[in-house]
């Protein structure tokens, strides 16, 4: 069963990330926006935390009760990440190579990371692709645990390792940081929420319980390093929304579900696009509006033309192989 409210949440999260980067982009070109807008948009990065928690929820929910096929799972996830990503990632890498003086081209990026998204000493050319590297690590671990049928035990062990390294303040090399970063706990929080949802367990005062770690996040100064608390609260609210929709208490507008379906494409193209819209705008307000609208519309176009089309092609190929 598709859970529409979570798909809509994905669209809202992608839009929040767009506003976050749009605000940063116009501020770089035109100076600071009004303080209240700067403060508001500065929290847009938390949309990434929603993506991570939701990924854990969806992966566990969609694979529960089905015949374990780690190879099919891994291939499907790799296609899901790379087919929409590679045209954008390679295009940015080529542009940075040909125009080394271009804005942000002097970042420490590398072709290996760009093409494979594997953890490495350098970053991908597309700046937001660091999140895809974390996604890829989660998918690889999940596929491995799926092959041994030890998903819960393995994810608990992984979570404990992450927490232990953080508590002991162990200095790990950059590639290993993708394996032991605190933000990876959000995937496992999503898995836990999905397990509770599937089990039919009802948590009393769930909204209040979920609000507590979010309040802790803001009490700690709302710094990025503490966003795992925000993710913990998101896991509770994702569970609450899924349970509410299951009971028929929550209905989601179709437009939000559609934007959610296009959220990955929006996420991929918005940052390079914002660097263009900010350059050709006449002020921070026009740059903000132009950038956000262009990112959403062109992201949707990329979804309809490329992402959705290739999904259809690969889907038919999979059916033919299994026939």
């Amino acid at each position: 069963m598709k859970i529409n409210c979570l798909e809509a949440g994905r669209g809202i999260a992608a839009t929040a990330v767009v506003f976050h980067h749009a605000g940063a982009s116009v501020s770089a070109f035109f100076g600071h926006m009004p303080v209240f807008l700067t403060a508001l948009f500065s929290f847009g990065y938390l949309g990434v935390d929603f993506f991570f928690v939701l990924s854990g929820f969806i992966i566990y929910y969609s694979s529960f009760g089905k015949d374990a096929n780690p190879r099919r799972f891994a291939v499907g996830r790799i296609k899901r990440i790379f087919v929409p990503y590679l045209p954008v990632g390679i295009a940015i890498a080529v542009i940075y190579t040909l125009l080394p003086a271009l804005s942000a081209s002097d970042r420490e990026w590398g072709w290996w990371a760009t093409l494979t998204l594997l953890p490495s000493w350098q970053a991908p050319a597309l700046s937001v692709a660091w999140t895809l590297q974390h996604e890829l690590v989660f998918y690889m671990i999940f596929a491995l645990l799926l092959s041994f049928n030890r998903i819960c035990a393995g994810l608990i062990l992984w979570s404990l390792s992450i927490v232990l390294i953080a508590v002991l303040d162990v200095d790990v090399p950059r590639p290993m940081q993708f394996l032991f970063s605190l933000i990876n706990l959000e995937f496992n929080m999503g898995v836990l929420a999905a397990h509770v949802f599937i089990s039919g367990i009802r948590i009393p005062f769930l909204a209040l319980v979920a609000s507590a770690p979010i309040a802790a996040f803001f009490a700690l100064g709302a710094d990025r390093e503490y966003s795992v608390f925000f993710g913990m609260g998101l896991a509770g609210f994702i569970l609450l929304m899924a349970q509410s929709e299951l009971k028929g208490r929550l209905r989601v507008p179709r437009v939000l579900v559609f934007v959610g379906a296009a959220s990955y494409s929006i996420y991929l193209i918005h940052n390079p696009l914002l660097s263009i819209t900010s350059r050709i705008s006449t002020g921070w307000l026009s740059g903000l509006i132009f950038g956000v609208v262009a990112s959403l519309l062109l992201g949707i176009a990329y979804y309809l033309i490329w992402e959705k089309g290739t999904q259809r092609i690969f889907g038919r190929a999979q059916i033919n192989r299994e026939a």
Side-chain angles (χ1 to χ4, degrees):
M1 181 189 75
K2 183 178 180 180
I3 306 175
N4 288 327
C5 65
L6 302 187
E7 188 81 328
R10 198 197 307 265
I12 295 172
T15 303
V17 174
V18 171
F19 270 103
H20 172 69
H21 287 134
S25 183
V26 297
S27 294
F29 282 93
F30 303 106
H32 291 295
M33 300 180 298
V35 175
F36 78 96
L37 285 180
T38 301
L40 178 63
F41 296 158
S42 68
F43 292 112
Y45 72 85
L46 293 170
V48 169
D49 297 85
F50 181 88
F51 289 143
F52 284 0
V53 177
L54 185 60
S55 288
F57 187 102
I58 295 298
I59 291 302
Y60 185 80
Y61 176 73
S62 62
S63 62
F64 183 83
K66 297 181 179 178
D67 293 336
N69 191 323
R71 182 181 179 279
R72 182 184 301 171
F73 169 83
V75 171
R77 289 294 92 195
I78 288 172
K79 288 178 181 177
R80 183 71 183 91
I81 287 181
F82 280 94
V83 174
Y85 159 75
L86 280 176
V88 182
I90 292 175
I92 295 299
V94 170
I95 291 172
Y96 283 173
T97 300
L98 297 178
L99 301 172
L102 193 66
S103 174
S105 61
D106 58 348
R107 289 189 307 112
E108 285 292 329
W109 67 274
W111 275 101
W112 172 256
T114 298
L115 295 176
T116 68
L117 292 177
L118 292 174
S120 66
W121 294 100
Q122 293 179 311
L126 182 65
S127 59
V128 299
W130 69 270
T131 62
L132 305 184
Q133 293 179 288
H134 282 279
E135 290 273 0
L136 193 60
V137 166
F138 171 62
Y139 294 156
M140 292 167 63
I141 290 176
F142 195 90
L144 178 64
L145 297 177
L146 191 63
S147 65
F148 290 103
N149 196 26
R150 291 291 184 270
I151 293 175
C152 291
L155 293 183
I156 290 173
L157 182 60
W158 184 30
S159 297
L160 291 175
S161 300
I162 292 171
V163 172
L164 183 62
I165 286 176
V167 170
L168 297 178
D169 196 21
V170 178
D171 186 19
V172 297
R174 186 181 188 278
M176 296 301 292
Q177 291 172 9
F178 287 94
L179 182 62
F180 295 111
S181 171
L182 277 173
I183 203 170
N184 289 331
L185 292 175
E186 295 179 340
F187 294 113
N188 299 340
M189 293 171 189
V191 170
L192 177 60
H195 182 74
V196 173
F197 177 69
I198 293 169
S199 302
I201 299 172
R202 292 292 181 266
I203 300 176
F205 308 107
L206 180 54
L208 184 61
V209 172
S211 298
I214 293 178
F217 166 71
F218 286 103
L220 291 169
D223 292 330
R224 186 70 176 101
E225 61 181 311
Y226 300 122
S227 69
V228 67
F229 289 103
F230 192 86
M232 188 184 302
L234 285 176
F237 280 109
I238 284 175
L239 172 60
L240 180 62
M241 289 190 298
Q243 290 177 338
S244 298
E245 183 171 329
L246 182 65
K247 292 181 177 179
R249 297 175 181 172
L250 183 62
R251 296 187 179 276
V252 184
R254 290 183 178 180
V255 64
L256 288 181
V257 178
F258 175 73
V259 174
S263 60
Y264 184 35
S265 290
I266 293 170
Y267 184 74
L268 288 174
I269 74 161
H270 80 279
N271 223 19
L273 188 60
L274 288 171
S275 68
I276 298 174
T277 58
S278 295
R279 282 178 167 82
I280 61 178
S281 299
T282 57
W284 71 264
L285 182 58
S286 64
L288 182 68
I289 296 173
F290 183 28
V292 171
V293 172
S295 294
L296 294 177
L297 292 181
L298 292 182
I300 290 172
Y302 186 69
Y303 163 71
L304 293 173
I305 295 170
W306 177 253
E307 183 182 351
K308 192 174 182 180
T310 52
Q311 285 178 355
R312 193 178 298 115
I313 292 171
F314 282 119
R316 285 199 297 265
Q318 182 67 30
I319 292 174
N320 292 334
R321 283 195 298 270
E322 295 175 353

